Amino acid sequence: MPGKRKFEEQLAALEALRDAPEQTRIEGLRKALANRNNFVVAKAADLARTFQLTALIADLLAAFDRFFENADKNDPQCWAKNAISRGLAAFEHQDANVFLRGMKHIQMEPVWGGSSDTAGTLRATCALALVQCRSLGENELLGDLIDLLGDTDKAVRTEVVRAIEMVNSPAAALLLRERAVLGKDEPEVLGACYGGILRIEGMKAIPWVSRFLTNGDDAAGEAALAIAATHSTEGFHALRNALQNALDPWFRSVLLSAIALTRQDAALDFLLDLAGKDSRDAGDALDAIVRARPSDDIMLRLQKVVSGNVRLERQLAMSRRNPSR
């Protein structure tokens, strides 16, 4: 099979460039970026990024433009465009129009029973890259990103929320607040909103994010984890207050895990106390401590508080064998 042999030789030649001098790398990758095969081009673009060869930006742009033509046939799965966009983003390329083009691209390809859009990763990568384009003012940038908040791909919506967070301004925080209030999205997307708001606004946003804990659903679980990620006393207090009003056993276990992840001494004392009193939350508190990968000192304290309680001793042994369960 001559075609397959030639393809394998092309890939081998690219791999050999890892040990070549810089000029040889540039020449070899420039030739590969002009190849018709999208996988070869993707490999070359990734190597250009790895070697930080900014001299190849013009070649990357030319290849990027080429693979938008008859895209579903010339670049199935967007392999080439994905790799090129990653490279241009890593080089902090400043032409916003390049990334705007990628953000708007939809590529329908045949799948069993119909067709599917394969350009989600491209749109997400370009949205994140757009934030670094200094030619765009904040209002224009946010206006371009807003369009993708309604993308059909959950992963794209999540990454766009992160792109908005990267703007790191009061306007960006307000936009994320509005998106969170509207709800009706996947928990991961809403969780990215909660986390972005907290990272932009800091501790003062904890009471606002805490309102989403009352629902006791998957999105509330994301809010709990976002609050936990602040690693703050304020976060622990908000989670402990939510626990007092939570009735669902699953959500109580989520809150206990989040409390452990705040990494606050008071939070660990609280969980150890629950385990030591053999309360209704004792088992979940024990598991939360173990999953948080505590220090040896904390593990010794946990062993002491459950000592003599056969049920909790057995559960502790099981949790230590499988802390991620």
Side-chain angles (χ1 to χ4, degrees):
M1 299 178 67
K4 180 178 180 182
R5 189 180 304 115
K6 182 178 180 181
F7 174 70
E8 291 174 347
E9 289 173 353
Q10 289 171 334
L11 294 183
L14 287 173
E15 280 298 317
L17 293 175
R18 293 184 182 275
D19 300 318
E22 181 171 303
Q23 190 55 41
T24 301
R25 286 176 173 176
I26 291 174
E27 292 171 0
L29 292 177
R30 179 167 285 142
K31 180 180 178 181
L33 287 170
N35 199 291
R36 293 177 57 186
N37 186 289
N38 69 325
F39 190 84
V40 171
V41 172
K43 181 73 172 178
D46 281 337
L47 287 173
R49 174 169 54 88
T50 298
F51 302 147
Q52 300 181 351
L53 297 177
T54 55
L56 291 171
I57 286 178
D59 303 274
L60 289 167
L61 290 170
F64 195 59
D65 184 66
R66 189 172 75 249
F67 282 108
F68 278 100
E69 300 175 7
N70 297 319
D72 58 329
K73 295 181 175 60
N74 293 332
D75 188 23
Q77 301 301 310
C78 292
W79 280 338
K81 293 190 291 295
N82 286 342
I84 293 168
S85 63
R86 287 194 298 267
L88 293 171
F91 296 153
E92 297 187 7
H93 184 62
Q94 291 297 305
D95 186 352
N97 289 323
V98 171
F99 300 119
L100 287 169
R101 185 180 190 184
M103 286 169 59
K104 296 174 183 177
H105 185 63
I106 295 174
Q107 186 163 312
M108 304 304 295
E109 298 185 28
V111 296
W112 182 260
S115 60
S116 177
D117 175 23
T118 63
T121 297
L122 175 65
R123 295 196 296 277
T125 301
C126 288
L128 290 166
L130 190 70
V131 178
Q132 69 191 14
C133 292
R134 293 184 288 274
S135 62
L136 294 179
E138 182 179 316
N139 290 342
E140 186 179 3
L141 173 59
L142 289 175
D144 289 326
L145 293 173
I146 285 173
D147 288 340
L148 283 186
L149 283 177
D151 198 278
T152 57
D153 189 325
K154 173 184 70 175
V156 175
R157 297 195 302 275
T158 303
E159 291 306 303
V160 170
V161 167
R162 295 197 174 104
I164 292 171
E165 177 194 334
M166 289 168 60
V167 178
N168 195 29
S169 69
L174 286 173
L175 182 56
L176 294 183
R177 281 186 177 231
E178 180 182 30
R179 187 67 195 85
V181 168
L182 289 173
K184 295 182 180 180
D185 208 331
E186 297 291 336
E188 297 91 335
V189 180
L190 296 174
C193 290
Y194 306 144
I197 292 163
L198 288 165
R199 282 185 287 273
I200 294 173
E201 298 185 4
M203 301 305 103
K204 66 180 182 180
I206 287 178
W208 191 88
V209 174
S210 296
R211 69 169 66 184
F212 298 101
L213 297 173
T214 59
N215 296 330
D217 55 9
D218 288 342
E222 293 287 343
L225 294 175
I227 292 171
T230 65
H231 302 302
S232 65
T233 301
E234 296 90 339
F236 162 54
H237 290 158
L239 294 167
R240 184 182 59 184
N241 290 340
L243 183 68
Q244 294 175 351
N245 300 315
L247 300 177
D248 180 73
W250 169 80
F251 188 57
R252 291 184 69 83
S253 71
V254 171
L255 289 170
L256 291 167
S257 293
I259 286 171
L261 292 172
T262 63
R263 308 291 183 187
Q264 296 297 300
D265 290 341
L268 286 171
D269 289 341
F270 174 73
L271 294 173
L272 287 166
D273 186 57
L274 289 177
K277 291 179 178 178
D278 196 13
S279 65
R280 64 169 172 163
D281 294 313
D284 287 333
L286 182 154
D287 286 340
I289 294 171
V290 175
R291 282 196 296 268
R293 307 288 183 178
S295 66
D296 291 340
D297 288 342
I298 296 297
M299 284 303 302
L300 285 174
R301 289 178 62 188
L302 182 57
Q303 289 173 337
K304 287 180 180 178
V305 300
V306 303
S307 179
N309 186 314
V310 176
R311 177 179 67 84
L312 292 179
E313 285 181 331
R314 185 182 300 116
Q315 182 171 339
L316 177 58
M318 291 176 61
S319 294
R320 296 187 71 175
R321 284 196 297 270
N322 186 18
S324 62
R325 70 183 180 89

